[in-house]
Amino acid sequence: MEDLFVIGGKTLKSRFFLGTGKFESKEAMRQAIIRSGAQVVTVALRRIDLEQTEENILSFIPEEIVLMVNTSGARNAQEAIRIARIAREAGYGNWVKIEVINDSRYLLPDNQETIKATEVLSAEGFVVLPYMHPDLYAAKALAKAGAAAIMPLGSLIGSNQGLKMKTLIEVLIEEIEEIPIIVDAGIGRPSHAAEAMEMGADAVLVNTAVAAAKDPVLMACAFAGGVEAGRMAFLAGPGHVRTTASASSPLTGFLFNE
Amino acid sequence: MNSPFPHINLSHLTIDDCISIFHTEDRGLLEELAQAARDLTHQYFGGAIGLYAPLYISNYCTNRCTYCGFQAHSDLTRRKLTLDEIDRECRALAGTGIRNCLILTGESSYHSPPSYIREAIIVAGRHFPNVSLEVYPLTTDEYRGLYHAGADGVTLYQETYDRKRYDELHISGPKKDYAYRIEAPERIAKAGFRHISMGALLGLTDWREDIPKLFSHIRYLERKYPGIEYTLSFPRIRPVAKDSQHYFEVSDRDMVKIICTGRLLFPRAGINLSTRENSEFRDRIIQFGITRMSAGSLTSVGGYIDRNTHEQEGQFEVHDQRSLKEIKSMLMSKGYDPVVTDWRNIVNQ
């Protein structure tokens, strides 16, 4: 049986989402999308030339790919809402990744403003995927506000540091059952992506680690493979990590006349 | 290899480290610095280089600054574009492919008051999704009016952080008020702008002392106004006619140190590269941390419609005269991604 998952009414096979920034060339980006089998990509509205006077980034994204416009540059809920509406009016679908960042040094998301934007946009019929700091209360509020999934950060954007937020993301995976969890930001190696999937994340979004690799196309494939392996391991049910060898039972052995 | 600077940790550089870096001739450290800056830039920006072009709308100016080609007492023809002329300049500039326009004026409350700048922003907004300003310091309310009119960024250089030297070089005019200028970035931030571009005009005084003060100024603003995107600029002074002032030399090696320390201290900040630099040097230093550059720049009023005007009357000599198209293909051939569209005005409120 195929392992599919659904977001915003779309049934997806690939759990590897790709960001489109920082690529050396638009052609490399296109190849990375095609070869990795990614089905969802995110593009910043700020980078789309709506008047189409220059070579347009969108013409390098294959038609069957789900476009998730992001609100990069928004500093509060109001601005994120305006950007999302511009994107929809311009005909870029109704999937929006909300990024509300009011911190140019670390680029950390503002959960409170993100929740406000999610409430408004999901009421307007958008499929809302908010980028967030992995906080349980915020995650619950986002689910209640109508988010189609939540996207907690693994570590600081662009840092390649991996799952520094591991414990908190595990809490979200354990507690948030109503919507998928997509780990976004900071994933630097395919092994990080595999680890997130083994933990039970529903998908992983990567940008920098692919775009800034020496061979971005090959790296995109490596990530897709890592995501798939991690997902299979999760489904297979990995054994618990034990601190002692399982043969010895110093505490309970007496119950078995050992 | 034993570093002569064991206390310097390039992955956690501090502003205090600048002094030893700026004074050393150690080649090993310079190379390490350059590599660290290149890697960090690649990590956070990939190959993206934002491109923009300046649009001079008026060169009336009541300031006398020893180093400026527009200064009040030169025999330059003074000119101010009408709104119709601004519209035509914008059309000509947008026709070259530019999507991000930087409006510049001289300081004249009579010829280029905030109301005139405001009208210019509205006209430019019809041609460009992204409009920024490089104008004299204003009050918070005046800045707010320009932000609401559709401008998203402001460039304002302190020129020098040496108060005494600042006073010597700014002979007369409102620019003589050092405090009003140094406090302007905070007023810009309070008015709501998204981008602030700051810099020092290198060579007015000893850059080794000016640059750490510029860095501290930006760090202060970054803590207080974290939502703003900051850009650093390091223009080198180019001598103009009839100026007898003595300036400090800033070598190419010095420029590399300045750009690299700027990158390491502000990993995600923009760093702007001036067209005052010649194309050969520009092409070489892009990799050390540059994320923004102007392309196809003309520094005269009305230059994009009438190229002849430009021949004689620019504010400073543009050393890199390549067109947008040429700059784009140079960047692509070196593995960079020229970014022309990087913002869409979303109705500033």
Side-chain angles (χ1 to χ4, degrees):
Chain A
M1 202 180 79
E2 267 194 306
D3 172 36
L4 305 171
F5 81 125
V6 179
I7 293 183
K10 290 251 183 212
T11 305
L12 301 168
K13 222 161 96 176
S14 171
R15 293 169 182 268
F16 171 59
F17 292 15
L18 187 60
T20 56
K22 305 182 193 178
F23 278 87
E24 184 179 306
S25 74
K26 296 187 179 70
E27 184 52 31
M29 176 200 81
R30 193 174 81 92
Q31 286 301 324
I33 297 170
I34 295 171
R35 298 270 295 280
S36 66
Q39 290 176 291
V40 179
V41 301
T42 183
V43 180
L45 179 82
R46 64 191 289 175
R47 287 282 168 89
I48 301 176
D49 180 19
L50 298 181
E51 288 76 21
Q52 312 210 347
T53 53
E54 60 159 342
E55 187 183 71
N56 198 320
I57 185 167
L58 297 180
S59 59
F60 288 82
I61 298 174
E63 245 173 55
E64 65 279 12
I65 299 294
V66 178
L67 186 66
M68 172 167 69
V69 171
N70 71 59
T71 63
S72 165
R75 299 172 295 181
N76 53 46
Q78 262 308 318
E79 293 184 355
I81 292 164
R82 269 182 244 146
I83 292 171
R85 288 176 183 159
I86 292 172
R88 187 157 72 177
E89 276 162 31
Y92 302 129
N94 65 344
W95 280 49
V96 60
K97 173 184 164 189
I98 299 185
E99 271 184 53
V100 178
I101 291 174
N102 198 27
D103 154 44
S104 67
R105 193 167 180 93
Y106 306 101
L107 304 181
L108 286 166
D110 181 332
N111 279 354
Q112 285 187 345
E113 291 293 308
T114 302
I115 295 165
K116 282 189 224 165
T118 301
E119 272 169 7
V120 173
L121 292 172
S122 48
E124 291 180 13
F126 282 91
V127 174
V128 182
L129 296 98
Y131 170 57
M132 54 122 30
H133 202 285
D135 171 80
L136 180 60
Y137 297 97
K140 285 183 172 168
L142 286 166
K144 200 174 153 210
I150 47 170
M151 308 183 77
L153 60 101
S155 51
L156 297 179
I157 295 182
S159 69
N160 289 338
Q161 287 175 3
L163 295 172
K164 292 278 182 204
M165 295 286 133
K166 185 172 179 180
T167 306
L168 299 179
I169 293 174
E170 279 173 332
V171 171
L172 300 190
I173 291 170
E174 192 63 32
E175 300 301 324
I176 304 293
E177 291 186 313
E178 47 286 48
I179 48 175
I181 292 172
I182 301 164
V183 178
D184 184 3
I187 303 294
R189 304 272 181 271
S191 54
H192 299 151
E195 188 183 2
M197 296 305 295
E198 282 172 23
M199 279 158 51
D202 295 280
V204 165
L205 189 147
V206 182
N207 187 352
T208 301
V210 169
K214 221 177 249 166
D215 184 340
V217 180
L218 190 59
M219 189 58 93
C221 297
F223 268 100
V227 167
E228 211 179 312
R231 176 65 186 173
M232 279 195 276
F234 172 74
L235 293 175
H240 290 288
V241 177
R242 294 174 196 275
T243 46
T244 56
S246 52
S248 80
S249 315
L251 294 187
T252 54
F254 77 96
L255 298 171
F256 304 95
N257 299 322
E258 279 171 8
Chain B
M1 193 179 74
N2 279 330
S3 165
F5 304 100
H7 59 286
I8 294 180
N9 175 356
L10 292 184
S11 48
H12 283 100
L13 199 70
T14 67
I15 294 177
D16 291 342
D17 293 332
C18 290
I19 309 209
S20 23
I21 292 174
F22 290 168
H23 282 93
T24 183
E25 286 299 320
D26 186 85
R27 283 186 66 171
L29 183 73
L30 188 62
E31 180 62 26
E32 271 184 63
L33 195 65
Q35 291 188 12
R38 180 202 57 193
D39 293 349
L40 202 58
T41 308
H42 186 66
Q43 183 184 338
Y44 287 125
F45 294 88
I49 306 276
L51 298 174
Y52 68 97
L55 182 73
Y56 283 74
I57 58 171
S58 168
N59 61 6
Y60 286 95
C61 193
T62 51
N63 291 319
R64 285 186 67 195
C65 313
T66 58
Y67 50 84
C68 176
F70 273 178
Q71 70 149 307
H73 287 235
S74 84
D75 47 7
L76 181 85
T77 316
R78 296 291 164 172
R79 188 171 176 206
K80 167 192 173 177
L81 299 182
T82 64
L83 294 182
D84 266 358
E85 288 170 325
I86 292 173
D87 191 63
R88 277 165 36 216
E89 274 287 282
C90 287
R91 194 179 305 278
L93 181 56
T96 68
I98 284 287
R99 309 290 287 144
N100 180 353
C101 149
L102 177 69
I103 294 177
L104 295 97
T105 65
E107 178 153 11
S108 165
S109 54
Y110 178 74
H111 292 285
S112 49
S115 56
Y116 170 67
I117 300 170
R118 188 175 177 281
E119 296 295 327
I121 293 167
I122 293 168
V123 171
R126 295 187 205 126
H127 299 274
F128 304 99
N130 191 352
V131 177
S132 296
L133 305 172
E134 184 166 347
V135 299
Y136 54 92
L138 299 166
T139 65
T140 307
D141 284 344
E142 287 165 340
Y143 277 129
R144 194 174 290 117
L146 301 182
Y147 172 66
H148 289 163
D152 283 300
V154 180
T155 294
L156 185 71
Y157 301 158
Q158 184 59 30
E159 319 295 15
T160 175
Y161 286 83
D162 177 337
R163 252 174 204 271
K164 194 169 152 278
R165 184 70 174 146
Y166 184 94
D167 199 54
E168 283 166 21
L169 297 167
H170 302 98
I171 301 161
S172 62
K175 192 167 176 179
K176 218 169 169 49
D177 190 343
Y178 178 94
Y180 189 65
R181 193 173 186 89
I182 205 167
E183 287 158 8
E186 285 210 64
R187 299 195 295 273
I188 297 167
K190 283 182 189 150
F193 280 92
R194 295 166 201 286
H195 308 281
I196 301 182
S197 188
M198 295 168 60
L201 187 47
L202 302 178
L204 296 184
T205 180
D206 184 353
W207 62 271
R208 293 172 193 83
E209 287 171 28
D210 251 352
I211 293 292
K213 289 178 191 154
L214 168 67
F215 289 160
S216 301
H217 191 188
I218 296 175
R219 193 71 190 100
Y220 162 82
L221 290 166
E222 204 180 43
R223 286 203 176 94
K224 201 161 173 190
Y225 306 97
I228 297 204
E229 288 177 22
Y230 296 92
T231 295
L232 292 76
S233 286
F234 308 109
R236 272 194 277 197
I237 182 116
R238 297 270 176 204
V240 296
K242 293 188 235 164
D243 180 5
S244 57
Q245 282 285 337
H246 167 75
Y247 297 110
F248 292 75
E249 205 199 317
V250 188
S251 70
D252 287 358
R253 260 180 236 175
D254 297 336
M255 283 300 286
V256 171
K257 286 182 189 171
I258 293 166
I259 291 169
C260 294
T261 50
R263 169 52 64 228
L264 296 181
L265 288 167
F266 302 96
R268 291 177 171 88
I271 298 184
N272 186 59
L273 179 58
S274 171
T275 36
R276 290 160 187 251
E277 303 294 345
N278 66 44
S279 49
E280 196 183 319
F281 185 64
R282 274 183 30 132
D283 294 0
R284 271 195 184 281
I285 60 171
I286 291 171
Q287 56 177 329
F288 301 134
I290 302 303
T291 57
R292 271 170 67 78
M293 54 200 278
S294 58
S297 298
L298 297 180
T299 62
S300 58
V301 177
Y304 293 108
I305 308 172
D306 178 8
R307 297 234 161 204
N308 294 330
T309 315
H310 182 69
E311 296 299 307
Q312 318 115 32
E313 299 186 340
Q315 186 189 21
F316 56 84
E317 198 182 332
V318 173
H319 282 247
D320 187 342
Q321 306 208 343
R322 290 174 293 181
S323 68
L324 174 66
K325 214 175 141 200
E326 288 167 319
I327 296 271
K328 276 172 89 171
S329 55
M330 175 277 289
L331 289 172
M332 289 198 275
S333 74
K334 287 174 175 285
Y336 289 95
D337 176 25
V339 174
V340 176
T341 304
D342 192 31
W343 185 245
R344 154 86 21 195
N345 184 271
I346 53 169
V347 186
N348 295 332
Q349 282 173 1

